[in-house]
Amino acid sequence: MDTPSRPEPLYGKEGDVDKLSSATQLISLEVGASDASQSKPIITPIYHSSTYYTKKCKDFVSQVKEGYIYQRMVTPNFEELSMIISKIEHGVGTVDFPSGMGAIFNTLMCFLHPGDHIVVSAPVYSGTSFALRNLMPQFNIEVSYVDASRDVELYRSATKPNTKMYFAESICNPMMWYVDIEKLAVIGREQNVLTVVDGTFSTPINQTPLDYGIDMVMHSCTKYMGGHSDLLAGCTTVNNIDHYRKLKAWQTFTGVSQSAHNSVSLLRSLRTLHVRMKTHNENAMEVAKFLEKHPKVKKVYYLGLPSHPQHELASRTMKGFGGMMSFEMHSERESIIFAESTRIFKLAVSLGGAESLIEHVTSMTHCKKFTTDEETKHIPDSLIRLSVGIEDVKDQVADLEQAFKQVETTLQNES
């Protein structure tokens, strides 16, 4: 048996791979351990082995650099997953983590040090908020929040001599505001500050922040990239090889590697990402239009609607607007009844799966237990968040309509 070697792309020269569309790369780009046989499996098998043998003692050091020796460091499954995500993100390298929070926390900790300062656009995902508020102070890392979706220049005004990172969600959770990532990248370069974007809501199909000068983009792959609500994963893709090497070393020696099984499950899901996102985009647009016209809806927050104040700005960097939206009803009570009355839209946290989900925001992901008043001051008590799935959009709209009717019936019975 030959010594395991570093995987190579299915298409020999990198230039050939770059000519393929993202949709084709997601399906056709494969890597795996070298195989001298005439036959090769269409799908890379799961490499469960925790260790790889070395034929000769003198080969060990070169095998560390170019092959496989231990699962925590690199395996064919990790390599294939990282290569494919890097290609569709247009980055130089991707590090995969066991969850989205694993990607966020470890990326921050790798590039921030005691005494450093990070500026964050608010509001953000409640898990990110908790880590910033409760964990960063333990390492003497200072955190400042800015309303960057309204004015990205606030990053500049919040910058201090010890500022080392700007962090933003390109689409802010849960208000669906947009942060101007082009200007953010410019400010970061001018201030010599790393720019990091959470692109979970947009996915690489709809937006590639590295193309606009952002230094790092991360995802909770549990969401759209996984797409089936059956795995946990996260990733960070960078546009600088030194950043990649530093983050990969951090991941390896802090032991936060992805499992082989989840890597293969995520690879399976990525093969249909472009198809799923097309349907998410289309369905969400139809649902948003329906909600915008409904008398029980006070306001809809969806970047795809021309009525969204940042629609034109977001259109400069986004090819589609995803399946996430939120909307206000006329009272908190109405919104709670509504969220508990849908049938196709399941009452649950998380997002990005094939199925549609709904939540009452201030009772669930952004309740007082997980956030502060400062972080949620812009979130109305009547806000509903939808993750629009890939069911038939006519059924989705019908479900929402019957829930609106249930609100009216329930309120009448209570009066």
Side-chain angles (χ1 to χ4, degrees):
M1 180 176 178
D2 294 332
T3 302
S5 61
R6 182 66 67 196
E8 295 294 337
L10 180 64
Y11 292 88
K13 296 181 179 180
E14 187 168 342
D16 295 336
V17 175
D18 292 337
K19 294 176 183 178
L20 302 175
S21 69
S22 294
T24 304
Q25 288 179 7
L26 285 168
I27 297 174
S28 298
L29 185 62
E30 301 173 22
V31 300
S34 61
D35 188 350
S37 69
Q38 293 293 322
S39 300
K40 183 178 180 180
I42 289 294
I43 303 299
T44 303
I46 302 176
Y47 288 79
H48 282 298
S49 181
S50 62
T51 190
Y52 293 77
Y53 79 84
T54 300
K55 193 171 184 180
K56 295 181 180 296
C57 294
K58 66 180 180 64
D59 295 335
F60 181 78
V61 174
S62 62
Q63 191 170 324
V64 170
K65 295 180 180 179
E66 300 175 4
Y68 310 108
I69 63 166
Y70 193 61
Q71 186 176 127
R72 174 166 47 81
M73 301 176 73
V74 65
T75 72
N77 300 136
F78 297 172
E79 201 90 57
E80 182 173 5
L81 180 60
S82 296
M83 179 181 288
I84 289 177
I85 295 175
S86 294
K87 284 296 179 184
I88 63 174
E89 284 283 19
H90 307 157
V92 301
T94 296
V95 178
D96 307 303
F97 295 92
S99 68
M101 280 307 305
I104 291 172
F105 181 73
N106 284 282
T107 300
L108 267 56
M109 292 307 301
C110 179
F111 293 97
L112 294 173
H113 302 92
D116 287 348
H117 174 235
I118 177 175
V119 184
V120 181
S121 179
V124 292
Y125 166 56
S126 57
T128 305
S129 172
F130 183 92
L132 291 167
R133 187 175 67 254
N134 295 285
L135 303 184
M136 293 297 107
Q138 296 183 36
F139 300 93
N140 192 29
I141 295 171
E142 184 183 1
V143 182
S144 295
Y145 293 94
V146 294
D147 191 1
S149 59
R150 299 180 187 272
D151 184 4
V152 75
E153 285 292 332
L154 291 173
Y155 276 105
R156 191 192 305 273
S157 60
T159 303
K160 302 178 180 182
N162 62 334
T163 302
K164 301 300 181 184
M165 184 181 289
Y166 297 145
F167 181 90
E169 295 171 343
S170 59
I171 303 176
C172 297
N173 182 12
M175 295 302 300
M176 311 305 155
W177 294 329
Y178 177 76
V179 173
D180 188 342
I181 60 172
E182 288 183 286
K183 283 189 177 180
L184 176 60
V186 171
I187 296 171
R189 287 194 297 272
E190 292 175 351
Q191 300 296 318
N192 195 29
V193 173
L194 282 175
T195 51
V196 181
V197 165
D198 183 337
T200 297
F201 278 21
S202 54
T203 80
I205 300 302
N206 286 334
Q207 185 185 61
T208 48
L210 301 185
D211 288 340
Y212 299 95
I214 294 298
D215 295 309
M216 305 179 195
V217 58
M218 59 179 58
H219 295 270
S220 171
C221 303
T222 308
K223 312 305 192 295
Y224 286 109
M225 294 174 78
H228 296 81
S229 303
D230 59 0
L231 62 84
L232 292 178
C235 69
T236 298
T237 304
V238 302
N239 65 2
N240 178 293
I241 191 62
D242 291 331
H243 290 160
Y244 170 75
R245 290 169 177 157
K246 183 175 182 179
L247 186 58
K248 181 60 182 175
W250 176 279
Q251 178 215 43
T252 298
F253 296 106
T254 55
V256 285
S257 301
Q258 180 60 281
S259 72
H261 186 274
N262 272 8
S263 294
V264 172
S265 295
L266 182 53
L267 282 165
R268 172 214 62 190
S269 296
L270 288 173
R271 292 167 69 89
T272 60
L273 178 61
H274 59 293
V275 179
R276 289 185 285 107
M277 288 313 301
K278 181 177 185 293
T279 305
H280 283 299
N281 292 342
E282 293 172 351
N283 284 3
M285 184 65 76
E286 291 303 310
V287 169
K289 290 177 179 178
F290 163 76
L291 291 172
E292 192 173 42
K293 297 176 182 178
H294 203 284
K296 290 193 177 298
V297 174
K298 184 177 179 181
K299 189 173 184 179
V300 179
Y301 301 89
Y302 183 64
L303 282 167
L305 290 174
S307 59
H308 193 293
Q310 295 176 302
H311 171 74
E312 184 177 346
L313 177 63
S315 298
R316 298 177 190 173
T317 63
M318 301 192 71
K319 301 172 186 175
F321 301 98
M324 296 304 299
M325 70 182 67
S326 55
F327 64 95
E328 294 180 56
M329 296 186 70
H330 293 287
S331 71
E332 181 179 20
R333 179 61 182 148
E334 286 184 351
S335 64
I336 291 175
I337 297 170
F338 182 86
E340 295 175 349
S341 298
T342 54
R343 298 166 184 167
I344 292 175
F345 285 81
K346 305 300 183 185
L347 185 63
V349 297
S350 198
L351 57 106
E355 68 286 333
S356 294
L357 300 179
I358 186 171
E359 71 154 341
H360 176 247
V361 175
T362 56
S363 295
M364 298 172 71
T365 55
H366 290 72
C367 66
K368 295 185 184 298
K369 181 177 177 61
F370 303 131
T371 56
T372 67
D373 290 341
E374 176 64 23
E375 293 163 353
T376 59
K377 63 183 180 182
H378 296 302
I379 302 177
D381 289 337
S382 64
L383 192 71
I384 293 287
R385 191 187 76 175
L386 299 181
S387 173
V388 180
I390 59 175
E391 306 95 343
D392 190 311
V393 69
K394 293 179 181 178
D395 295 328
Q396 293 171 336
V397 170
D399 184 38
L400 297 175
E401 182 59 65
Q402 69 82 25
F404 281 125
K405 292 178 180 178
Q406 186 61 45
V407 171
E408 185 174 350
T409 299
T410 302
L411 291 177
Q412 288 176 350
N413 292 336
E414 291 178 349
S415 62

